[in-house]
Amino acid sequence: MYNKTIKELSLLLKNKKISVIELTKIFLDRIKASNLNAFIHVDEELTLMQANIAEKKIISGNNLTQLTGIPIAHKDIFVTRHWKTTAGSKMLANYISPFNADIVERLKKAGTVMLGKLNCDEFAMGSSNENSYFGPVKNPWDYSAVPGGSSGGSAAAVAARLVPATTASDTGGSIRQPAALCGVTGIKPTYGSISRYGMIAFASSLDQAGPIAKTAEDCALLLNVMIGFDKRDSTSLQRKNEDFSYGLKKNTKGIKGLRIGMPREFFNVNLDTDVQHGIYSALKEFEKLGAKLVDISMPKTNLSIPVYYVIAPAEAASNLSRFDGVRYGYRSKNYKNLVDMYKKSRTEGFGEEVKRRILIGSHVLSRDFYNIYYLQAQRIRRLISEDFQKIFTGPNSCDVIMGPVSPTVAWNIGNKRDPIVNYLSDIFTLSTSLAGLPGMSIPCGFSVNKPIGLQIIGNYFKEAQLLYIAHQYQNITDWHLKKPKL
C-alpha cells in the first residue's frame, strides 16, 4: 500500500478495498519504525480522529474528492491547529497556532488525513536540512547524506514511503532541490498561486508553497486543491479554475514539436560527470518523444546567488523581527531589562544560520548600504526576469527550459560547513524563484545509488504544461518508481 500513488490509493478507498483507518495505520507504523528524523511532531490520536471523519465521508459517498482519505504531512513551516508548528527552530519549539494555514485548511476540506509535521531547516533557511534545531534529516538513499533543504523532511518522507505526499515551500529551490536529492517529484508553482497565509515567513517576495509526491500526476491532484485566491494574502493571485490533472490523460497529443531550452550556463559549470550524463540522457528521451533541443543563454545565472543572498536575508531580517520574546516564542530566563531580554532571547532562540542571515539583511538595509546592495540587487532581479521572458516570448522562443537542479548529488552530512559552499548548491534554482516562475524537479537517474533530478522551468501560469511534460517522461521511464532499501 505504501508504494502506491495517490491516484491508486484513492481508487482503493473509493471501492472500499481498504479503509482510511487501515491505510492511516500502515503509514503511522512506518513512521514509528523510521529513524530518518523526518518528522518533528506526530500525534496518533489526532490523526486517527481525522481518519474516522474521512472514513465516514467515504461510506456516505458525499463530497468526495480524489484526496479524501489520503494521508499527507505538512512541512513544519505551515501553522496548524492542535499540532506544534516550530519552523525547525528553538524559538518556536512549543508553539501551537490558534488557526490553520490556508493550504492546510484546503487540504483538510478535501478530506486528507494529516500524519504530522515534517522537519526542515530553521525558518526554511538552508540547503541541506542541517540547520534544524531538531537535528538533520537523513537521506533515505544513504543515511550519511543530506536530503537537501529546506524541505528535506518532506522529500525524505515521500522517498522513504512514510507518506504518499507532503506540502513543502520553495524560497530559492527548497522544493526542487530536496526532491532531486531524494528522487521524488516536486513542483513550485507561479509565485502568488498558493496563499502564504499561515506560512511562517522567511522572504515574503520569494516564499511559495507547493507539493512533493512520487509522480507528476500526484502533484497535479494536490495542486488542484492547493491553488486558489485568498483575500488574506496580499500577494495571492486570482487565477481561473484549472484542472491540472486533466491534461495528463493518456489520450493527449504528446510533446512533438516542444522546444526545450538548454541554458549553456547550466552546463558550463562544475557539474558532476554523473549528473551531467543523467541530464543529457533525460533530454535524449524528450528528443525521442519529438521535442527539439535549443541552445540558449542565460548570462545572469551567476548573479542569481549574490542577488538572492542580498534580497532574501533583507526580507528575513524584517520578518524575523517579530520574534522578540514578548508575545510568543522562546524567552530567555535570565535578563536585566527589556533590551537585554530581546538580545538574549534571540541569541539563545535562533540558530547560527538564521542569525547570520539576519545580520546580512540588517547590513544591506542600513542607510549606508541600502542603495549599494539592496536596491542594486532588486534592479538585477528585474533583469533576470527579463532574460526569462526573452527566452519564452522572444523571436527564437522556447516552451520550457531544462537542466540540472543541483551541481551534485546529495553530499554527506557535515561536508559543507562553509555557508558559502552551501549557498553555491542553489545556483540552478535561484533565478527561477527570483523571477517568480513555476519550476519542478523529476527523477532522471542515479549516481552511486544517489538520485539525480531534472529541472523543468516554464513561463508564468504554465504549471499544467510542466506537469504534462513530466508525466510524459514518467510514462516512458521508471526513475520515479525506484525506492530506497530501508
Side-chain angles (χ1 to χ4, degrees), residues 134-170:
F134 301 94
V137 176
K138 299 171 186 175
N139 191 313
W141 293 95
D142 181 349
Y143 280 26
S144 64
V146 302
S150 62
S151 307
S154 298
V158 173
R161 308 304 195 250
L162 306 183
V163 58
T166 65
T167 58
S169 68
D170 191 310

Side-chain angles (χ1 to χ4, degrees), residues 8-10 42 74 128 134 183 194 204 210 263 300 308 313 340 362 367 375:
E8 291 168 337
L9 290 174
S10 180
V42 176
H74 294 291
S128 64
F134 301 94
I194 297 174
S204 301
K300 298 176 186 66
Y308 176 86
D340 193 43
S362 299
R367 184 179 63 182
L375 200 58

Side-chain angles (χ1 to χ4, degrees), residues 393-411:
T393 62
N396 193 30
S397 64
C398 296
D399 299 298
V400 294
I401 296 168
M402 290 190 189
V405 177
S406 171
T408 67
V409 291
W411 56 93

Side-chain angles (χ1 to χ4, degrees), residues 3 141 159 161 182-184 443 445-446 478-484:
N3 283 320
W141 293 95
R161 308 304 195 250
C182 289
V184 291
F446 283 86
D478 64 352
W479 301 116
H480 62 291
L481 301 177
K482 306 287 186 184
K483 55 184 184 294

Side-chain angles (χ1 to χ4, degrees), residues 294-363:
V294 182
D295 179 59
I296 61 172
S297 177
M298 293 177 60
K300 298 176 186 66
T301 297
N302 65 321
L303 295 177
S304 62
I305 291 177
V307 167
Y308 176 86
Y309 284 102
V310 167
I311 294 173
E315 295 184 11
S318 175
N319 282 324
L320 269 62
S321 64
R322 72 192 68 180
F323 300 105
D324 52 15
V326 177
R327 288 158 291 184
Y328 49 81
Y330 176 82
R331 179 186 293 183
S332 177
K333 294 180 181 178
N334 302 304
Y335 54 88
K336 298 175 183 177
N337 51 47
L338 186 64
V339 173
D340 193 43
M341 186 192 75
Y342 288 163
K343 288 181 180 178
K344 287 184 176 176
S345 296
R346 289 170 174 167
T347 300
E348 297 166 16
F350 288 137
E352 291 302 312
E353 183 60 29
V354 172
K355 286 187 277 194
R356 183 182 293 115
R357 297 197 191 194
I358 289 172
L359 289 170
I360 293 169
S362 299
H363 178 74

Side-chain angles (χ1 to χ4, degrees), residues 8-26:
E8 291 168 337
L9 290 174
S10 180
L11 191 62
L12 289 169
L13 289 167
K14 185 179 178 181
N15 292 333
K16 299 180 176 60
K17 300 292 184 182
I18 189 172
S19 73
V20 179
I21 295 168
E22 288 172 328
L23 182 62
T24 302
K25 285 182 176 179
I26 288 171

Side-chain angles (χ1 to χ4, degrees), residues 154-453:
S154 298
V158 173
R161 308 304 195 250
L162 306 183
V163 58
T166 65
T167 58
S169 68
D170 191 310
T171 305
S174 291
I175 289 175
R176 292 160 287 158
Q177 189 246 27
L181 300 193
C182 289
V184 291
T185 304
I187 182 168
K188 178 195 88 72
T190 303
Y191 176 80
S193 296
I194 297 174
S195 172
R196 290 188 301 109
Y197 179 77
M199 178 196 293
I200 296 174
F202 162 19
S204 301
S205 73
L206 295 159
D207 295 342
Q208 183 57 70
I212 291 178
K214 297 185 193 74
T215 66
E217 194 167 25
D218 283 356
C219 285
L221 294 173
L222 290 159
L223 279 187
N224 283 341
V225 173
M226 294 167 72
I227 286 181
F229 175 70
D230 180 8
K231 65 181 180 181
R232 298 166 299 184
D233 175 10
S234 62
T235 63
S236 181
L237 297 173
Q238 289 189 335
R239 297 181 57 167
K240 64 179 182 180
N241 292 331
E242 192 171 0
D243 182 355
F244 295 101
S245 57
Y246 175 76
L248 274 57
K249 294 177 181 176
K250 290 183 179 178
N251 60 354
T252 47
K253 62 180 181 179
I255 59 173
K256 190 174 181 179
L258 183 81
R259 290 174 61 83
I260 299 173
M262 296 172 57
R264 59 184 73 110
E265 291 81 7
F266 280 28
F267 295 91
N268 294 340
V269 295
N270 294 324
L271 264 185
D272 273 8
T273 303
D274 286 351
V275 172
Q276 191 169 48
H277 176 74
I279 300 302
Y280 279 129
S281 296
L283 291 170
K284 286 179 183 177
E285 293 297 332
F286 282 105
E287 275 193 306
K288 292 177 185 176
L289 290 171
K292 181 179 180 181
L293 304 183
V294 182
D295 179 59
I296 61 172
S297 177
M298 293 177 60
K300 298 176 186 66
T301 297
N302 65 321
L303 295 177
S304 62
I305 291 177
V307 167
Y308 176 86
Y309 284 102
V310 167
I311 294 173
E315 295 184 11
S318 175
N319 282 324
L320 269 62
S321 64
R322 72 192 68 180
F323 300 105
D324 52 15
V326 177
R327 288 158 291 184
Y328 49 81
Y330 176 82
R331 179 186 293 183
S332 177
K333 294 180 181 178
N334 302 304
Y335 54 88
K336 298 175 183 177
N337 51 47
L338 186 64
V339 173
D340 193 43
M341 186 192 75
Y342 288 163
K343 288 181 180 178
K344 287 184 176 176
S345 296
R346 289 170 174 167
T347 300
E348 297 166 16
F350 288 137
E352 291 302 312
E353 183 60 29
V354 172
K355 286 187 277 194
R356 183 182 293 115
R357 297 197 191 194
I358 289 172
L359 289 170
I360 293 169
S362 299
H363 178 74
V364 301
L365 289 175
S366 63
R367 184 179 63 182
D368 293 339
F369 298 102
Y370 178 85
N371 289 338
I372 299 172
Y373 292 118
Y374 183 74
L375 200 58
Q376 185 71 354
Q378 292 288 15
R379 288 171 179 150
I380 299 172
R381 181 183 190 177
R382 172 58 63 185
L383 295 176
I384 291 170
S385 298
E386 289 174 357
D387 276 355
F388 276 110
Q389 290 311 302
K390 288 174 186 175
I391 292 167
F392 289 130
T393 62
N396 193 30
S397 64
C398 296
D399 299 298
V400 294
I401 296 168
M402 290 190 189
V405 177
S406 171
T408 67
V409 291
W411 56 93
N412 284 350
I413 295 170
N415 269 17
K416 293 189 179 183
R417 292 294 185 192
D418 183 344
I420 303 300
V421 175
N422 224 320
Y423 297 166
L424 291 172
S425 63
D426 298 330
I427 188 165
F428 302 131
T429 57
L430 293 178
S431 55
T432 309
S433 294
L434 288 165
L437 293 165
M440 68 182 299
S441 172
I442 57 173
C444 70
F446 283 86
S447 172
V448 197
N449 200 39
K450 292 180 181 178
I452 300 167

